[in-house]
């Protein structure tokens, strides 16, 4: 049996589109688009079955959805016949579709009635609902949210049955075991809970990023000899955001082994997973993984224990458009979802636009490693202008035909007053002349159908071209619109563009801002207009931050270097002005001038020398007084000696006087104390 309808194949990342196949032989395909609308398509006829718009579809957009399981239908229908006293609100749940919103509420939509069945709000979540799971037997509903809690709902009373904390961070995915007694929950780590006691039974390592999908792959243990308790020996699959590996885990009896048993490798992050359950040991598990790059990878493997190397896909499916002409190249068409049919030999592919997807059944050929399907979906790729304005359907025209329809954007024609030639036409008809050709009739109307210069689109067609370019990811069409430099034209285009194209336009502008700096100058003008004109709409989006995370990081990285660059700019301006000023002064001749008066101040060194001299003079006077006192004593002694010498000299002969006279002549004679002080 295919395991794609019970909510396990919900949207696997915030950027993915929430969608799921119905459990009733995949007769319906439900898709919650980015504009908040729920659309249910018939898979056999590719026709829109129902469309539902919640009252708060802008503020509380749908983040996940899950169909009520098929097993619930078989067990509840006889019970409903017995309980006639129950109110109408608790009638058959078989066609219920649970919708989780970004504000934490859960809506139950009935596809049979085509209206809202009930709403689960009280005591539930305070933040975005990430995953919803229906119980196969009792009809309970399990949900997890960014508020770190897991809630068990009673869908009959629309009240909370139990609520407990599932992780330290946000809980991103849930899965119920085949026997309905265990519950897998995952944030970054994976936990296995016992539903009866709400206790953790096993821990698993998990992924480096938040886990986005959990699915059991087997319903029987690998060895049938051992007794089976309902969970031991089973395998389950997990995928994570921004992770190109899908890990397979096995529930062991001992709690020692916490790592993955094997892994499957894909080309990009998985956004939708469907598989066929393995009911015995010899039956392989078939796996279909839709990646973000729009490809589908098919795996077929028998789970029989540990495998070191990651397993590659057996077949890859890709859808492209036919290339028209020699120069045009085929363009890939993104695949939104893929589900195995009941025969397990064919696959239902949903591809194209989320607004009007195409559903096709494709037979699987195991021999071909790569399947490239060429499909022309130009007629249903983007929303038609007629459907947006009125419900009138126009016939499909050839690509070479040119249709002029008044009143529709993109086909504006200036109709002039009818010239007098129309009288001749009427006279020819009355006379039974030949009928005029279409070209002549248009000539009589004198419709101005001249093309504008350089084949530029008209002003009123810019919003239509922008919406179609974003839907089809047409590079040439987007360049025609985004490379305009007219600010008034940019403002008018942003004002008239549809709301569902605002987020894709911001993502496209983010890509172009990371490119060439010349294109970034134009993109900033578009970004400014979008943020100012649609600020009220953007403020109502709860998941705006993860959607525009790349733009926030890009703006922060650009602004970080702005202050440094402004400082450098100022310094360079100062240097350049100084250099230019010096070069100008070098070239100019200065006239010779002589100073009439020159005044020179005494230097500070001379003043310091005078102060030093004053200090030395004071010290010198003190030293002189001491020296004079000492010399006076010496002079008294010398006078006494002289008195004695004179007495002897008087006694001596005149020879002594001659000797004394010679001494005086030689300068050896003693001086008076007054003369000594003067000499000193």
């Amino acid at each position: 049996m295919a395991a794609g309808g019970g909510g396990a194949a919900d949207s696997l990342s915030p950027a993915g589109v929430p969608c799921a196949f119905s459990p009733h032989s995949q007769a319906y395909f439900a898709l919650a688009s980015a504009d908040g609308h729920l659309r249910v398509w018939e898979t056999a006829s590719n026709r829109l079955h129902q469309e539902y718009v919640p009252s708060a579809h802008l503020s509380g957009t749908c983040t996940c959805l899950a169909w009520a399981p098929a097993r619930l239908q078989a067990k509840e229908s006889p019970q409903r016949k017995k309980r006639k006293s129950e109110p109408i609100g608790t009638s058959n749940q078989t066609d219920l579709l649970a919708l989780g919103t970004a504000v934490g509420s859960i809506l139950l939509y009935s596809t049979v009635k085509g209206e809202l069945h009930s709403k689960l709000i009280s005591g539930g979540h305070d933040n975005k609902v990430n995953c919803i799971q229906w119980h196969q037997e009792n009809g309970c509903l399990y949900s997890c949210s960014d508020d770190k809690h897991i809630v068990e709902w009673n869908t009959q009373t629309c009240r909370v049955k139990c609520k407990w904390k599932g992780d330290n961070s946000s809980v991103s995915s849930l899965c119920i075991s085949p026997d309905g007694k265990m519950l897998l929950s995952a944030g970054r780590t994976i936990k296995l809970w016992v539903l009866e006691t709400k206790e953790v039974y096993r821990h698993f390592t998990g992924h480096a990023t938040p886990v986005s999908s959990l699915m059991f792959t087997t319903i029987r243990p690998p060895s049938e000899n051992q007794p089976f308790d309902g969970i031991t020996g089973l395998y389950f699959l997990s995928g994570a955001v921004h992770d190109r590996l899908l890990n397979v885990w096995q529930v062991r009896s001992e709690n020692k082994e916490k790592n993955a048993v094997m892994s499957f490798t894909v080309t990009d992050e998985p956004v939708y997973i469907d598989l066929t359950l393995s009911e015995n040991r010899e039956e392989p598990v078939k796996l279909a993984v839709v990646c973000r790059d729009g490809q589908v990878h098919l795996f077929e493997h028998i789970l029989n224990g540990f495998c070191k190397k990651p397993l590659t896909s057996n077949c890859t499916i890709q859808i492209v458009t036919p290339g028209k002409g020699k120069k045009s190249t085929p363009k890939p068409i993104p695949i939104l979802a893929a589900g195995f049919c009941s025969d397990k030999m064919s696959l239902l592919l949903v591809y194209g636009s989320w607004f009007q997807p195409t559903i096709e059944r494709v037979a699987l050929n195991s021999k071909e490693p790569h399947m490239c399907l060429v499909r022309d979906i130009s007629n249903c790729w983007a929303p038609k202008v007629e459907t947006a304005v009125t419900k009138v359907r126009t016939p499909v025209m050839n690509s070479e035909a040119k249709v002029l329809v008044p009143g529709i954007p993109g086909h504006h024609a200036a109709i002039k007053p009818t010239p007098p030639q129309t009288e001749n036409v009427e006279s020819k008809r009355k006379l039974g002349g030949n009928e005029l050709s279409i070209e002549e009739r248009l000539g009589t109307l004198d419709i101005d159908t001249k093309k504008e210069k350089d084949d530029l689109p008209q002003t009123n067609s810019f919003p239509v071209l922008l919406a179609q370019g974003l839907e089809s990811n047409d590079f040439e069409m987007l360049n025609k619109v985004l490379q305009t430099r007219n600010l008034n034209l940019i403002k008018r285009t942003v004002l008239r563009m549809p709301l569902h194209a605002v987020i894709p336009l911001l993502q496209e502008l983010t890509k172009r801002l990371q490119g060439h700096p010349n294109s970034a100058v134009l993109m900033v003008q578009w970004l400014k207009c979008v943020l100012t004109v649609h600020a009220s709409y953007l403020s109502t989006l709860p998941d705006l931050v993860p959607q525009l995370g790349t733009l926030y990081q890009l703006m922060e990285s650009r602004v970080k270097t702005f202050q440094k660059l402004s400082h450098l700019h100022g310094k360079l301006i100062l240097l350049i002005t100084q250099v230019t000023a010096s070069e100008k002064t070098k070239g100019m001749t200065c006239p010779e001038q002589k100073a009439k008066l020159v005044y020179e101040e005494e230097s500070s060194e001379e003043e310091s020398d005078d102060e030093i001299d004053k200090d030395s003079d004071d010290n010198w006077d003190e030293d002189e007084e001491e020296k004079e006192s000492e010399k006076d004593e010496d002079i008294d002694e010398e006078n006494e000696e002289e008195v004695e010498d004179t007495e002897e000299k008087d006694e001596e002969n005149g020879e002594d006087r001659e000797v004394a006279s010679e001494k005086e002549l030689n300068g050896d004679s003693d001086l008076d104390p007054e003369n000594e002080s003067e000499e000193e």
Side-chain angles (χ1 to χ4, degrees):
M1 58 177 279
D10 296 335
S11 85
L12 302 184
S13 65
V17 180
C19 53
F21 289 98
S22 67
H24 314 295
S25 302
Q26 297 179 333
Y28 299 103
F29 177 73
L31 186 145
S33 56
D35 57 358
H37 292 219
L38 171 68
R39 296 179 178 90
V40 181
W41 301 83
E42 296 178 1
T43 57
S45 61
N46 197 14
R47 186 176 64 89
L48 181 62
H49 179 62
Q50 287 180 3
E51 184 175 4
Y52 171 66
V53 183
S55 58
H57 64 283
L58 292 179
S59 60
T61 56
C62 179
T63 56
C64 57
L65 57 87
W67 290 87
R71 294 179 185 178
L72 195 62
Q73 178 184 11
K75 293 189 177 182
E76 286 197 357
S77 52
Q79 293 179 4
R80 292 298 162 221
K81 294 179 182 178
K82 294 178 182 179
R83 300 181 182 179
K84 295 182 180 179
S85 61
E86 287 187 353
I88 301 175
T90 59
S91 61
N92 193 1
Q93 292 184 354
T94 56
D95 293 293
L96 289 182
L97 187 63
L99 307 174
T101 63
V103 294
S105 60
I106 298 176
L107 309 178
L108 298 182
Y109 176 76
S110 174
T111 56
V112 175
K113 299 178 182 178
E115 61 183 13
L116 187 66
H117 180 271
S118 57
K119 193 172 183 180
L120 312 179
I121 302 177
S122 59
H125 297 291
D126 302 329
N127 210 327
K128 181 182 73 172
V129 181
N130 292 324
C131 184
I132 296 175
Q133 282 286 317
W134 288 88
H135 199 278
Q136 297 93 329
E137 297 177 358
N138 58 15
C140 289
L141 194 69
Y142 294 89
S143 62
C144 62
S145 169
D146 282 347
D147 60 5
K148 308 176 186 179
H149 286 82
I150 302 172
V151 178
E152 181 182 6
W153 298 90
N154 187 341
T155 55
Q156 302 293 331
T157 60
C158 299
R159 293 182 179 180
V160 175
K161 192 176 179 180
C162 184
K163 181 178 180 180
W164 71 97
K165 187 175 181 180
D167 206 332
N168 292 328
S169 58
S170 62
V171 185
S172 55
S173 185
L174 296 174
C175 183
I176 299 176
S177 63
D179 62 349
K181 297 180 180 179
M182 296 284 185
L183 176 69
L184 279 173
S185 72
R188 281 186 172 85
T189 61
I190 303 173
K191 297 179 181 179
L192 182 63
W193 302 82
V194 181
L195 286 179
E196 186 177 355
T197 61
K198 307 298 186 294
E199 294 179 353
V200 179
Y201 180 71
R202 290 286 183 271
H203 280 275
F204 299 93
T205 308
H207 297 255
T209 54
V211 177
S212 55
S213 69
L214 288 173
M215 301 177 73
F216 275 93
T217 58
T218 56
I219 59 175
R220 293 286 184 272
S223 60
E224 299 179 356
N225 298 328
Q226 298 179 357
F228 181 54
D229 58 355
I231 193 65
T232 304
L234 296 187
Y235 292 90
F236 66 91
L237 180 77
S238 68
V241 179
H242 307 304
D243 195 349
R244 295 186 297 174
L245 285 179
L246 297 172
N247 292 338
V248 179
W249 315 79
Q250 186 179 18
V251 182
R252 304 286 181 89
S253 57
E254 67 277 0
N255 198 13
K256 295 180 180 179
E257 188 62 36
K258 297 182 180 180
N259 297 326
V261 179
M262 63 182 69
S263 58
F264 301 100
T265 178
V266 291
T267 56
D268 204 349
E269 173 188 348
V271 294
Y272 194 96
I273 299 177
D274 189 26
L275 55 84
T276 60
L277 290 173
S278 174
E279 298 184 1
N280 53 56
R281 186 175 181 181
E282 289 77 16
E283 184 179 3
V285 173
K286 290 185 178 181
L287 186 65
V289 182
V290 180
C291 297
R292 189 170 293 280
D293 56 4
Q295 300 183 28
V296 176
H297 299 280
L298 301 177
F299 298 88
E300 186 173 353
H301 185 73
I302 299 175
L303 303 178
N304 55 2
F306 184 75
C307 183
K308 291 184 179 180
K309 295 183 179 180
L311 302 176
T312 56
S313 61
N314 299 333
C315 181
T316 301
I317 301 176
Q318 189 177 8
I319 302 177
V320 295
T321 59
K324 297 180 181 179
K326 296 181 180 179
K327 295 183 179 180
S328 62
T329 57
K331 296 180 180 179
I333 301 173
I335 300 175
L336 302 177
F340 286 102
C341 298
S342 57
D343 59 356
K344 300 183 182 181
M345 297 305 296
S346 57
L347 197 66
L348 274 177
L349 294 180
V350 182
Y351 57 89
S353 170
W354 54 263
F355 184 78
Q356 193 172 0
T358 303
I359 304 173
E360 182 181 350
R361 183 169 179 170
V362 179
L364 300 178
N365 189 356
S366 59
K367 296 180 181 180
E368 297 181 4
H370 186 81
M371 294 175 62
C372 186
L373 306 177
V374 181
R375 299 289 184 268
D376 187 7
I377 57 169
S378 58
N379 295 329
C380 60
W381 179 263
K384 296 183 177 62
V385 180
E386 292 85 351
T387 58
V389 178
T390 177
K391 293 185 177 180
V392 178
R393 294 185 179 181
T394 56
V396 179
M397 294 292 179
N398 190 8
S399 60
E400 297 178 357
K402 188 171 184 180
V403 183
L404 298 177
V405 182
I408 296 180
H411 300 284
H412 178 70
I415 301 176
K416 296 182 179 180
T418 29
Q421 292 180 358
T422 53
E423 297 179 359
N424 298 331
V425 176
E426 293 177 357
S427 63
K428 285 183 180 180
R429 289 179 180 175
K430 290 179 180 179
L431 294 173
N434 296 329
E435 293 184 0
L436 296 177
S437 63
I438 297 177
E439 185 178 359
E440 291 176 350
R441 292 179 183 177
L442 291 175
T444 58
L445 294 175
D446 194 15
I447 298 176
D448 187 11
T449 58
K450 294 181 181 180
K451 296 183 179 179
E452 296 186 3
K453 296 180 180 180
D454 301 331
D455 289 335
L456 287 176
Q458 298 178 3
T459 304
N460 53 3
S461 66
F462 264 69
V464 179
L465 285 177
L466 182 60
Q468 291 180 356
L470 292 173
E471 288 289 340
S472 60
N473 200 13
D474 192 342
F475 187 73
E476 296 178 358
M477 191 181 297
L478 289 174
N479 277 344
K480 284 184 179 180
V481 179
L482 295 178
Q483 286 184 356
T484 179
R485 296 178 180 272
N486 191 348
L487 292 179
N488 293 328
L489 182 57
I490 293 174
K491 290 180 181 178
R492 288 197 298 269
T493 305
V494 173
L495 278 170
R496 297 175 59 186
M497 66 181 294
L499 285 178
H500 63 80
V502 174
I503 294 298
L505 177 58
L506 288 176
Q507 294 174 351
E508 180 66 25
L509 293 175
T510 304
K511 294 179 184 177
R512 292 173 179 258
L513 281 172
Q514 296 173 348
H516 199 272
N518 292 335
S519 64
V521 175
L522 292 175
M523 296 308 109
V524 167
Q525 300 294 336
W526 281 93
L527 184 63
K528 181 180 178 181
C529 288
V530 173
L531 294 178
T532 52
V533 172
H534 296 286
S536 58
Y537 167 70
L538 292 173
S539 61
T540 60
L541 299 179
D543 54 347
L544 182 65
V545 175
Q547 285 187 2
L548 302 183
T550 308
L551 179 61
Y552 291 154
Q553 294 176 1
L554 180 64
M555 294 173 66
E556 288 180 359
S557 62
R558 295 285 179 92
V559 172
K560 279 182 181 178
T561 57
F562 178 72
Q563 187 176 4
K564 296 180 181 179
L565 289 175
S566 60
H567 286 310
L568 179 61
H569 181 64
K571 292 179 181 178
L572 289 176
I573 287 177
L574 289 175
L575 290 175
I576 291 171
T577 51
Q578 291 294 327
V579 170
T580 52
S582 62
E583 289 178 355
K584 288 181 180 179
T585 53
K586 286 181 181 178
M588 295 174 62
T589 57
C590 297
E592 295 182 358
Q593 295 180 358
K594 293 183 179 180
K596 294 181 180 180
L597 178 64
V598 178
Y599 173 73
E600 294 182 358
E601 289 185 355
E602 292 182 359
S603 62
S604 60
E605 294 178 356
E606 294 179 357
E607 295 177 358
S608 62
D609 292 339
D610 295 339
E611 293 177 358
I612 292 170
D613 292 340
K614 289 178 181 180
D615 297 337
S616 60
D617 291 340
D618 296 337
N619 296 331
W620 179 255
D621 293 337
E622 294 176 358
D623 295 338
E624 278 186 348
E625 291 177 0
E626 293 178 358
K627 288 180 180 179
E628 285 178 358
S629 60
E630 292 177 357
K631 286 180 180 179
D632 291 336
E633 295 177 358
D634 294 336
I635 289 169
D636 294 335
E637 293 177 357
E638 288 177 358
N639 291 333
E640 291 178 359
E641 291 177 356
E642 285 179 359
V643 173
E644 293 177 357
D645 291 337
T646 52
E647 291 177 357
E648 291 178 357
K649 285 179 183 179
D650 292 336
E651 293 177 358
E652 291 178 355
N653 298 327
E655 295 176 357
D656 295 332
R657 292 180 180 176
E658 294 177 359
V659 174
S661 62
E662 290 177 0
K663 290 181 180 179
E664 290 176 358
L665 291 173
N666 294 330
D668 295 334
S669 62
D670 296 328
L671 298 177
D672 295 335
E674 296 177 358
N675 296 330
E676 288 178 2
S677 62
E678 291 176 359
E679 288 176 0
E680 290 175 357

